[in-house]
Amino acid sequence: MNDQVTLIGLNNFLDTYELHADFEAGASTPGDVVIGLIEAATSTAEHGMDACDLIVPSEQCANPDVYLHGARYTFNIASSPLGLVIGYEGMMENE
């Protein structure tokens, strides 16, 4: 696998993340989240798995009363000789 990374649905993820994350309460910046996502997805693919989640703790959500256990963002992961593909699937309340 080469070093190329394709992010599918990145704008949808960033729009949702920026809407629900409370940066003043310590939520990571979108840039840091994307870098962390690529690192986690790379590790996920190396271990033969095909999905990973980003969990934002309740206290870092803009509306912690709605997301009592935090917010979970789900991504599908695929690797090929052309590189890593990360596809945003959606967000839900963490259970």
Side-chain angles (χ1 to χ4, degrees), residues 6-24:
T6 302
L7 299 164
I8 299 171
L10 179 63
N11 287 338
N12 290 338
F13 163 66
L14 290 175
D15 289 346
T16 303
Y17 179 78
E18 290 174 350
L19 179 66
H20 294 283
D22 185 347
F23 302 110
E24 291 179 12

Side-chain angles (χ1 to χ4, degrees), residues 4 6 9 15 21 32 40 45 55 60 62 64 66-67 87 90:
Q4 181 174 336
T6 302
D15 289 346
D32 288 340
I55 300 172
Q60 293 178 358
V66 173
Y67 298 101

Side-chain angles (χ1 to χ4, degrees), residues 29-84:
T29 65
D32 288 340
V33 168
V34 170
I35 290 169
L37 173 63
I38 292 169
E39 291 170 353
T42 300
S43 177
T44 296
E46 288 171 353
H47 287 93
M49 297 179 282
D50 62 1
C52 70
D53 292 339
L54 164 68
I55 300 172
V56 178
S58 177
E59 61 271 7
Q60 293 178 358
C61 291
N63 192 346
D65 295 333
V66 173
Y67 298 101
L68 296 175
H69 302 285
R72 177 185 300 263
Y73 300 85
T74 302
F75 300 87
N76 287 324
I77 311 298
S79 60
S80 75
L82 298 176
L84 186 66

